[in-house]
Amino acid sequence: MSQLPPFSRRRFLGSMLGLAGSTAAPFALNLAAMGQAAAQSADDYKALVCLFMAGGNDAFNTVLATDTPSWNEYLRLRNTGGNDSIHLPAVGAAGGVLPIVPATAQAGRSFALHPALGPLKSLFDDGRAAVVANVGTLIQPVTLAQYKAGSVALPPKLFSHNDQQSTWQSGLPEGASVGWGGRLGDLVGTGNSNAMFTAVSAASNALFLSGRQVRQFQVGQAGAVPIRNINLSGSLFGTAQGPAALREIITTAGSDMMEQEYVATVGRAISSQSILSSAMLPAGPGGVPNPPPYVNPNTGASGANPLAVQLQTVARIIGGRGPLGAKRQVFYVTLGSFDTHDRQKALHADLMARVAHALAYFDTALAALQGADMRRQVTTFTASDFGRTFSSNGDGTDHGWGAHHFVVGGAVKGRDIYGAFPTTGVGHELDVGSGALLPTTSVDQYGATLARWFGVADSQLASVFPNIGNFSRRDLGFMAA
């Protein structure tokens, strides 16, 4: 096989645009222009943090309607008797659900949060947290009759973990390569002097952060994930010359195009690791305080909360926004094990405790970051594969669709529930089976509300949320101007 002629990275990208056809170049130019427009108005700092609850969170035991008709139906369907029951104790009972009073009344309804969400209830009561009701993946508004008849477009492969995680994070089923967090980064990344730190995952590699231009940057508790054995002050294979030799091998390119791209990627990794390690705040005294232990509500034992550690890492990077030249950043953190088909009551209680503990810790950390209150400039929102069924399968629940979510931050119009809270039970106008909810708010609307706060203009929203034009409301009102 003959060797390909030498290509520069710029020539490679130019060739790809040429191969893509006449529509690719105008799209790229328009996207760049939109990014520059966003950058010109980014005279302050803002960050969005996606907290993804992987597995499908049971929203019915997260935010509950407690008015008498709703609670009676809740007990009828979720109190299955014995240790397998997945119902929660009533308001005022020992370990009972925690009442919240939304600023906007919903006629005849009262509400509460899971008993383990005490720290999050405090944020709600203080006006820095809100609930967005019945959010889910949609292409366009759908009624139950239309759903049953299959007469309108629906997201493909509903109730599938992989596909619905992908649809939540990108708008497309499994196999998508670009997420809406990454598309936001494409628009605002030009406002950052180093675009490398626009989209940052403190967890695993996330579709949510993958952009068309912006590359997601993955970090761990210690900061940037290092390339091992290239520290020139160390040794490799028992020799002090080893690290230098390895560094030369992985940073020297020949004439092969793929080799050059690999070397460029390695070079960026080495450079960004050095920049980030010197810019981000330390963990602990003199930097971002370490999270206090969280308490498992089932055992009373205290321990480390990995989700809080991820958010500590996010706070440390936000603290280094000046040296990093960051004006707009999108972050991703995650907590797993929400696929509670069995043992739900105990498992879910522990997960709720971790979520509330981590969000309250993050709020405290941001309130005193480098002596400044950053809470109005950072907004955290929850996401998940889907909700779950209202009816129990014995000691758990099965895959659903719509679910309630939290938005937390100083710029949130908190102490309220946004969207009509659905009827409690089964057999109602939003029940697609076993009490699984037909969403009344789309992920596009949820994300677009956050994007507008982030600085994305109305004219740019469709480039991030392709289905947003199918919905009459682009802004759900839960963010301050």
Side-chain angles (χ1 to χ4, degrees):
M1 180 181 293
S2 62
Q3 189 179 48
L4 288 172
F7 264 63
S8 71
R9 182 165 174 257
R10 180 170 298 183
R11 286 180 62 197
F12 170 69
L13 293 174
S15 298
M16 292 300 100
L17 283 175
L19 291 171
S22 60
T23 58
F27 173 78
L29 292 173
N30 288 338
L31 190 62
M34 288 189 293
Q36 291 167 2
Q40 291 170 0
S41 63
D43 56 358
D44 60 342
Y45 177 85
K46 287 184 179 179
L48 283 172
V49 183
C50 174
L51 192 176
F52 200 87
M53 301 179 290
N57 178 48
D58 177 39
F60 294 121
N61 268 14
T62 302
V63 185
L64 306 90
T66 56
D67 51 275
T68 299
S70 298
W71 192 256
N72 287 344
E73 189 68 358
Y74 171 81
L75 290 179
R76 184 179 74 83
L77 291 165
R78 291 213 152 186
N79 185 359
T80 56
N83 294 330
D84 289 342
S85 178
I86 61 170
H87 81 288
L88 299 171
V91 173
V97 294
L98 306 173
I100 56 172
V101 182
T104 304
Q106 298 201 21
R109 310 297 295 274
S110 59
F111 303 97
L113 302 182
H114 189 285
L117 290 177
L120 189 52
K121 169 181 160 55
S122 296
L123 292 175
F124 184 93
D125 291 344
D126 289 343
R128 292 194 303 282
V131 174
V132 185
N134 197 15
V135 184
T137 56
L138 288 171
I139 295 174
Q140 63 188 75
V142 180
T143 66
L144 185 60
Q146 290 170 330
Y147 169 80
K148 290 181 176 180
S151 59
V152 298
L154 297 172
K157 299 182 180 179
L158 290 169
F159 317 112
S160 158
H161 284 295
N162 291 348
D163 291 282
Q164 291 309 297
Q165 286 183 7
S166 178
T167 305
W168 249 97
Q169 294 186 30
S170 73
L172 297 169
E174 187 176 15
S177 60
V178 179
W180 61 266
R183 293 194 291 264
L184 283 175
D186 289 334
L187 289 179
V188 302
T190 53
N192 297 333
S193 60
N194 190 337
M196 180 65 70
F197 305 108
T198 300
V200 182
S201 174
S204 58
N205 188 59
L207 171 61
F208 173 72
L209 291 179
S210 296
R212 298 183 181 100
Q213 285 81 39
V214 165
R215 296 177 174 89
Q216 65 178 295
F217 190 83
Q218 190 172 339
V219 297
Q221 183 176 353
V225 179
I227 299 175
R228 295 182 179 180
N229 299 317
I230 63 169
N231 186 342
L232 299 182
S233 63
S235 65
L236 178 61
F237 301 128
T239 173
Q241 288 74 40
L246 176 60
R247 182 184 284 255
E248 183 177 1
I249 291 170
I250 64 176
T251 58
T252 302
S255 59
D256 182 80
M257 180 182 68
M258 298 304 295
E259 184 180 338
Q260 290 177 358
E261 188 63 22
Y262 170 80
V263 167
T265 300
V266 170
R268 285 193 301 270
I270 295 173
S271 174
S272 58
Q273 178 186 346
S274 175
I275 294 169
L276 184 62
S277 62
S278 63
M280 66 187 296
L281 299 182
V288 177
N290 293 321
Y294 97 103
V295 177
N296 185 318
N298 301 310
T299 65
S302 61
N305 182 357
L307 179 59
V309 174
Q310 291 176 50
L311 288 171
Q312 180 189 33
T313 301
V314 172
R316 292 170 60 199
I317 295 172
I318 292 173
R321 64 197 179 280
L324 293 176
K327 291 287 189 178
R328 293 289 186 273
Q329 291 181 289
V330 187
F331 294 93
Y332 178 88
V333 298
T334 189
L335 181 65
S337 301
F338 282 88
D339 194 21
T340 50
H341 287 285
D342 50 27
R343 298 179 56 239
Q344 175 171 305
K345 193 169 185 179
L347 291 173
H348 195 243
D350 186 46
L351 292 166
M352 292 290 95
R354 290 173 185 260
V355 166
H357 169 268
L359 288 174
Y361 160 75
F362 192 48
D363 178 80
T364 300
L366 291 174
L369 196 63
Q370 295 175 305
D373 188 344
M374 292 293 293
R375 291 178 296 185
R376 283 193 62 83
Q377 293 162 273
V378 181
T379 299
T380 305
F381 63 96
T382 63
S384 192
D385 315 22
F386 35 61
R388 305 195 74 80
T389 56
F390 194 92
S391 58
S392 171
N393 62 19
D395 65 344
T397 53
D398 297 318
H399 299 177
W401 192 357
H404 316 312
H405 286 281
F406 295 107
V407 187
V408 181
V412 176
K413 295 180 182 177
R415 200 169 60 81
D416 216 342
I417 296 176
Y418 291 84
F421 204 85
T423 302
T424 298
V426 296
H428 53 76
E429 71 282 1
L430 297 176
D431 178 13
V432 298
S434 300
L437 289 174
L438 176 67
T440 49
T441 294
S442 72
V443 174
D444 292 65
Q445 292 172 292
Y446 184 54
T449 306
L450 294 163
R452 292 185 81 245
W453 169 80
F454 202 50
V456 175
D458 285 348
S459 60
Q460 300 170 326
L461 288 176
S463 70
V464 182
F465 306 99
N467 298 316
I468 193 63
N470 297 332
F471 300 92
S472 59
R473 292 189 66 189
R474 296 185 171 200
D475 191 328
L476 302 177
F478 57 77
M479 297 300 298

